[in-house]
Structures are given as structure tokens and as C-alpha cells.
């Protein structure tokens, strides 16, 4: 619960900073639209705050809202796609809340924000050998180049979010020796 609680303020902090920035820059219409999206996302986060597990469809809905907010905040056109295997019933799969968001945030801020041209993020969910595998793919600059040229996260280091999420997944999986997160460049 303590690890999950650390993620929620991180998530909310980013959105509030974005709204503030839009207001300061006299973008009232964008700020109003952003507040509406943020309210929906905040409702989802608060509804899920007391839950150790939520349905995959709720997680994907929250992720879509988050991406919509980041598209506005970063003034970036992002082609976002979800691919859920047809044998997976997203409303019946239970996962920890806000488990995918830190990785999508990393893709947006580090991989895509410095990239010219088309920007894509795909979240694919499949079942493999009794595991639900969530794969997040982007066509960004790559982790090595992003590390050389990346902007810092608005609130600090990504590694903390990765470590927290990895620990949350390890606790959830209850499968010692199985690495819950891997990166492929």
C-alpha cells in the first residue's frame, strides 16, 4: 500500500502543474479542456485508491485519460493504440492500479518528446504461459539517445517510479526469481 500511495501523488502533481502552466500562458480554452479531462482522471484515481486491484479495463481507461492529458500538456500529437488479445476479458483481469502509467510516461517524456515526426505508443496485452503480459512499445529516440538528450521529468527521476512499480509487480506476482519488468531496445 505504501508503494502504491507514492505513485498517486506523482500522477496528480503532473496534471496540476500542467493546468497551472496553461493558465499562466493565457490558454483558457485549453485549461478548461484539461481541467475536464483531469477531473475524470482524478475520479478514477480516487475510486481506485482504496483498491489493491482493479480491472484491466479500468486501468486502460485511466491510461487513455492520462495520455490525453499529456498530449495537451506537451502539445504533442501521439498515435496511441491499445491491443488486447481477444481471449482476454479486460473487465475480469485484476491488476494493481497505475501499474502501466509510469512506463507510458517514460515513453512520452523521454522517447517521444525529443523526436521529430510521427509519435506512436502501443500498449498490447496478451496471455503467455499463464501470465498476463503488458508490452508498451514506442517509436521514440531509444533509451540510449534519450538518456543523452532527455529533459528531466517534471517532478524528478524516473528511476524511482520504475523501482516502485517493479517492487509492486514483484509483490503482486508472488513469484520469486521472475523479473516482472524488462526493457528491450
Amino acid at each position: 500500500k505504501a508503494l502504491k500511495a507514492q505513485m498517486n501523488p506523482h500522477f496528480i502533481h503532473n496534471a496540476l502543474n500542467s493546468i497551472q502552466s496553461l493558465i499562466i500562458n493565457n490558454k483558457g480554452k485549453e485549461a478548461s479542456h484539461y481541467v475536464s479531462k483531469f477531473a475524470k482522471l482524478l475520479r478514477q484515481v480516487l475510486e481506485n485508491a482504496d483498491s489493491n486491484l482493479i480491472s484491466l479495463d479500468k486501468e486502460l481507461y485511466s491510461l487513455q485519460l492520462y495520455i490525453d492529458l499529456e498530449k495537451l500538456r506537451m502539445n504533442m500529437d501521439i498515435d496511441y493504440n491499445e491491443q488486447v488479445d481477444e481471449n482476454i476479458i479486460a473487465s475480469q483481469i485484476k491488476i494493481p492500479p497505475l501499474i502501466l502509467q509510469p512506463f507510458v510516461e517514460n515513453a512520452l517524456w523521454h522517447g517521444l518528446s525529443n523526436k521529430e515526426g510521427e509519435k506512436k505508443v502501443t500498449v498490447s496485452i496478451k496471455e503467455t504461459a499463464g501470465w498476463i503480459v503488458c508490452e508498451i512499445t514506442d517509436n521514440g529516440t531509444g533509451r540510449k539517445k534519450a538518456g543523452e538528450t532527455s529533459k528531466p521529468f517534471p517532478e524528478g527521476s524516473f528511476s524511482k517510479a520504475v523501482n516502485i512499480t517493479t517492487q509492486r509487480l514483484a509483490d503482486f506476482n508472488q513469484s520469486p526469481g521472475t523479473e516482472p519488468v524488462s526493457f528491450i531496445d
Side-chain angles (χ1 to χ4, degrees), residues 113-128:
S113 66
N114 294 319
K115 179 184 186 285
E116 297 295 323
E118 188 177 37
K119 299 171 183 178
K120 294 182 179 183
V121 175
T122 301
V123 174
S124 60
I125 314 290
K126 50 191 149 203
E127 187 174 352
T128 305

Side-chain angles (χ1 to χ4, degrees), residues 6-7 13 18 34 42 57 67 90 110 116 119 145 147 160 176:
Q6 291 178 46
M7 294 307 295
H13 177 267
S18 298
Y34 198 107
L42 185 58
D57 62 339
I67 290 170
H110 293 293
E116 297 295 323
K119 299 171 183 178
K145 186 171 182 180
K160 183 176 180 181

Side-chain angles (χ1 to χ4, degrees), residues 5-6 43 76 149 152 162:
Q6 291 178 46
R43 174 174 288 197
M76 195 166 53
T149 62
V162 168

Side-chain angles (χ1 to χ4, degrees), residues 75-124:
N75 193 26
M76 195 166 53
D77 187 28
I78 302 162
D79 179 13
Y80 172 63
N81 189 12
E82 290 175 2
Q83 299 171 348
V84 180
D85 275 357
E86 59 188 44
N87 62 328
I88 293 176
I89 302 171
S91 62
Q92 294 179 0
I93 301 294
K94 301 295 183 191
I95 63 172
L98 292 179
I99 210 78
L100 302 175
Q101 181 272 335
F103 301 104
V104 171
E105 180 176 331
N106 185 49
L108 298 177
W109 277 93
H110 293 293
L112 297 174
S113 66
N114 294 319
K115 179 184 186 285
E116 297 295 323
E118 188 177 37
K119 299 171 183 178
K120 294 182 179 183
V121 175
T122 301
V123 174
S124 60

Side-chain angles (χ1 to χ4, degrees), residues 56-81:
L56 176 59
D57 62 339
K58 282 186 178 183
E59 177 76 354
L60 292 173
Y61 176 71
S62 294
L63 193 59
Q64 177 67 62
L65 289 171
Y66 169 75
I67 290 170
D68 290 347
L69 288 173
E70 289 294 50
K71 285 167 72 170
L72 289 169
R73 174 165 83 150
M74 299 170 82
N75 193 26
M76 195 166 53
D77 187 28
I78 302 162
D79 179 13
Y80 172 63
N81 189 12

